[in-house]
Amino acid sequence: MTQKPAENELLQSVEDLKRRKEQSLNSGGADKLDIQRQTGRYTARERIDLLVDEGSFMELGMLNHSDQVGLESKSAGDGLIGGLGKVNGRHAVIQAGDQTVFAGTEGTVHLRKSKALMEYAIKRGLPMFNLNEGGGLRMPDGMGSDGISTKLFPPELLTLSREIPMITGIFGDSFGGPTWIAVSSDFVTQVKGTCLAVAGPRMLEMANGQKVSKEDLGGTEVHTRQTGQVDEAADSAEECIEHMKKFFEYMPSNSSELPPRKRTDDSPMRTSDNVLSILPQLSNRVYDMRRIIEDLVDDGEYMEYKSGYGQALLTVLSHMDGRAVGIIANQPNKYAGAAGPEECEKATDFICLCDSFHIPLIFLHDTPGFRISTQAEKEKIPTKIMVWNQALAQSTVPKISVIIRKSIGAAYGNMCGPTMGADFVVAWPTAEINFTGPEVGINVVYGRQLEKAEDPKEERKKLLENWAFDSSPYKAAASHYLDDVIDPRETRKFICRSLDFACAKNGGRSERRLANWPTGF
């Protein structure tokens, strides 16, 4: 049977479509894909395959290419692979920089596609996963007053208001646009050996003659420990993907939903029998607060947020009775749990995140106060302390505060003490609550007297006896500044029961007053 001319023409057009799509799958060329694999790195599409459920990815813009004359056949996808997929069964929008196409730089079509993907994610309430690698704005696309006029920051990125979770992985050197996306995200993880910066070392040397390595400019040590712009480092692409998926477990798909409830066999009425052996008998001995957190949360599982930054404060995502929670806890084995400028920024950032996505907050106190020094003053610690307080005061998610050992001075307020909006404030019998520690108070008020005393040690002992203000929790509990003093072993039970009441209205949805708070400060 002979084919009709129209049918033959249609078959030819289908074959042409097939050829074009096969060509686009080669990205910047089979040789460049091979080079990327030979260096032990996944291609953009392979990274997407690692992230999404098998067979779930639906690519959009596969036939894109540069709109610069003469570059059509060399720019498949214009350096960006994007589309829709499922991550652990949940719908998502995904984009991945393709380093094999002009080093993943951003041309006009690339930027148009990225903008369209973000617009769709916001429109349909889908989380955005960014698998970043790229060299920033492409030349000559951005050259000239007309070029740069159309390549500035997209409004969607600047006015996102945390309507959807933005989850970003840095899989290769990222400059310009990928960097802007990363620092505007809710969670960022970076593969070790990569660089995240405004511009690369070569551009830096050309601009001001400064020579610096990639690692010193924007490596994981810089960003996880010094800038806080990366939340978790990864040893590999696989680990980077796992960090992204783990964070997503605690997030809703969008701001109108609650985080998914996790199934658990860990009873909310379980006693936390290990906490008594974790807390040292002597109040000046250190311990790891992580051990107490592990004993309180469901199945002992949690995820640290910014684990390398501001290490005297722990910010943790976990579950209590299956409900996603955020935990802010002092870490006594680092600076005795005294917060400095970095810890203040970390706390503010975490409060904003949790308040924006309806995640209740739990505060675990053990701090001698703030870390004061000339360096802290130079880093604006008074401002950072108050910004933390401002965020806390404006947050509307349920908040439960537990004073475990010490909570001294202004830090008592920053850790959601009385009058700071907590639903409940309770203490362990071991709690010490005061303006300052007796030793410090004696030194400040009677320092000169002690210097002149014949027996300074004996004089100090007498002064301490006279300075016996009642810093135990019972005085505050008697005046109803605390809701209760609880058996430490009942802490998990108390928190789970309190959350049940605090979240009864609309499931605990917050007013999201902090959704417009900057993603960095």
Side-chain angles (χ1 to χ4, degrees):
M1 183 177 179
T2 58
Q3 291 179 334
K4 297 178 182 179
E7 184 180 354
N8 187 51
E9 186 177 334
L10 180 59
L11 286 172
Q12 288 177 355
S13 66
V14 170
E15 286 299 315
D16 178 58
L17 172 63
K18 182 180 177 181
R19 178 188 60 79
R20 288 172 183 269
K21 289 198 170 185
E22 287 176 350
Q23 187 176 0
S24 73
L25 290 173
N26 278 326
S27 295
D31 54 337
K32 292 184 179 179
L33 291 173
D34 288 341
I35 291 171
Q36 192 158 4
R37 294 183 181 114
Q38 286 165 12
T39 56
R41 298 166 62 240
Y42 289 101
T43 66
R45 284 190 175 85
E46 287 168 348
R47 289 168 186 157
I48 292 173
D49 287 341
L50 282 175
L51 173 68
V52 302
D53 300 346
E54 186 175 355
S56 70
F57 185 60
M58 183 174 76
E59 186 170 345
L60 302 172
M62 180 184 282
L63 298 177
N64 294 161
H65 56 69
S66 172
D67 58 2
Q68 295 289 320
V69 177
L71 298 182
E72 296 87 350
S73 63
K74 303 176 183 177
S75 55
D78 205 30
L80 184 72
I81 311 300
L84 311 173
K86 291 185 179 180
V87 178
N88 291 342
R90 299 170 66 189
H91 299 84
V93 176
I94 304 107
Q95 61 178 355
D98 188 348
Q99 199 271 343
T100 68
V101 177
F102 301 129
T105 52
E106 301 158 309
T108 304
V109 177
H110 177 126
L111 291 169
R112 187 179 298 129
K113 181 195 294 188
S114 181
K115 182 176 186 293
L117 289 167
M118 187 170 294
E119 286 176 341
Y120 189 79
I122 295 169
K123 179 181 179 180
R124 294 304 176 201
L126 302 177
M128 188 89 194
F129 285 84
N130 309 291
L131 312 183
N132 283 359
E133 177 179 30
L137 186 59
R138 187 185 308 159
M139 294 182 276
D141 295 62
M143 299 300 289
S145 58
D146 58 338
I148 190 61
S149 294
T150 60
K151 308 299 189 298
L152 296 176
F153 307 108
E156 294 75 23
L157 190 62
L158 303 179
T159 59
L160 184 60
S161 301
R162 289 188 168 96
E163 293 177 55
I164 55 170
M166 284 274 285
I167 303 171
T168 295
I170 304 298
F171 293 83
D173 295 341
S174 297
F175 311 113
T179 299
W180 311 139
I181 288 174
V183 299
S184 301
S185 295
D186 298 297
F187 179 76
V188 185
T189 176
Q190 180 181 1
V191 176
K192 293 176 182 177
T194 65
C195 181
L196 174 69
V198 173
R202 184 164 172 264
M203 181 73 80
L204 200 66
E205 184 177 354
M206 293 174 66
N208 59 24
Q210 185 179 4
K211 293 185 178 180
V212 63
S213 69
K214 289 194 309 180
E215 288 74 16
D216 289 338
L217 177 63
T220 53
E221 281 293 304
V222 170
H223 289 313
T224 58
R225 297 189 179 277
Q226 297 177 40
T227 72
Q229 292 178 138
V230 169
D231 302 306
E232 196 63 60
D235 290 319
S236 64
E238 291 92 342
E239 187 177 21
C240 196
I241 293 288
E242 285 307 309
H243 287 326
M244 297 172 80
K245 286 183 174 181
K246 186 68 175 175
F247 178 80
F248 186 40
E249 287 181 15
Y250 301 98
M251 293 293 114
S253 292
N254 56 69
S255 61
S256 67
E257 297 180 2
L258 292 171
R261 199 81 180 250
K262 186 177 181 180
R263 292 178 64 88
T264 178
D265 293 325
D266 196 350
S267 171
M269 307 304 283
R270 167 177 64 81
T271 56
S272 305
D273 295 323
N274 295 326
V275 295
L276 293 181
S277 62
I278 296 169
L279 193 70
Q281 294 295 316
L282 297 178
S283 63
N284 61 351
R285 292 285 178 87
V286 301
Y287 63 96
D288 191 344
M289 182 63 83
R290 294 183 186 91
R291 294 180 62 199
I292 287 181
I293 292 172
E294 186 176 339
D295 203 46
L296 296 179
V297 300
D298 290 354
D299 306 304
E301 296 177 355
Y302 62 88
M303 178 184 188
E304 276 197 60
Y305 178 83
K306 295 188 186 298
S307 61
Y309 188 70
Q311 295 180 47
L313 189 79
L314 299 174
T315 47
V316 167
L317 290 165
S318 190
H319 292 93
M320 299 285 281
D321 193 18
R323 191 189 308 275
V325 296
I327 300 173
I328 296 178
N330 305 115
Q331 175 57 299
N333 71 6
K334 194 72 173 179
Y335 301 115
E342 292 179 352
E343 286 81 5
C344 292
E345 289 185 1
K346 180 177 179 177
T348 304
D349 188 30
F350 193 67
I351 291 168
C352 291
L353 172 72
C354 291
D355 192 68
S356 298
F357 291 114
H358 317 294
I359 300 172
L361 284 164
I362 297 163
F363 295 80
L364 303 178
H365 304 224
D366 193 347
T367 177
F370 286 101
R371 209 160 66 239
I372 53 175
S373 65
T374 55
Q375 184 59 36
E377 297 296 337
K378 290 175 183 177
E379 294 176 16
K380 304 194 300 185
I381 193 167
T383 295
K384 295 179 189 296
I385 289 170
M386 288 309 295
V387 170
W388 176 352
N389 270 327
Q390 289 163 11
L392 183 59
Q394 292 188 49
S395 65
T396 59
V397 286
K399 293 178 285 291
I400 298 167
S401 199
V402 182
I403 302 135
I404 289 176
R405 192 163 65 170
K406 295 184 296 295
S407 197
I408 305 298
Y412 185 36
N414 284 69
M415 288 297 291
C416 207
T419 77
M420 291 304 295
D423 289 66
F424 305 102
V425 183
V426 299
W428 287 8
T430 49
E432 175 190 339
I433 305 165
N434 214 327
F435 169 66
T436 186
E439 288 281 354
V440 176
I442 292 294
N443 289 340
V444 172
V445 178
Y446 300 107
R448 291 182 181 178
Q449 180 177 326
L450 288 168
E451 288 174 5
K452 296 176 182 178
E454 291 183 12
D455 187 345
K457 287 186 178 180
E458 187 62 29
E459 184 69 16
R460 177 184 291 277
K461 184 179 178 181
K462 290 179 181 178
L463 289 170
L464 283 171
E465 289 174 358
N466 294 331
W467 198 275
F469 294 103
D470 188 357
S471 58
S472 79
Y474 295 108
K475 189 172 184 179
S479 302
H480 201 67
Y481 292 116
L482 298 177
D483 293 295
D484 202 0
V485 178
I486 65 172
D487 182 334
R489 293 166 295 188
E490 299 288 315
T491 305
R492 171 179 166 81
K493 177 181 175 181
F494 173 81
I495 292 173
C496 289
R497 293 184 71 190
S498 299
L499 286 173
D500 186 47
F501 285 101
C503 296
K505 183 181 179 180
N506 299 324
R509 284 178 173 82
S510 68
E511 296 175 29
R512 304 186 68 249
R513 291 180 186 171
L514 301 178
N516 284 320
W517 204 286
T519 51
F521 22 82

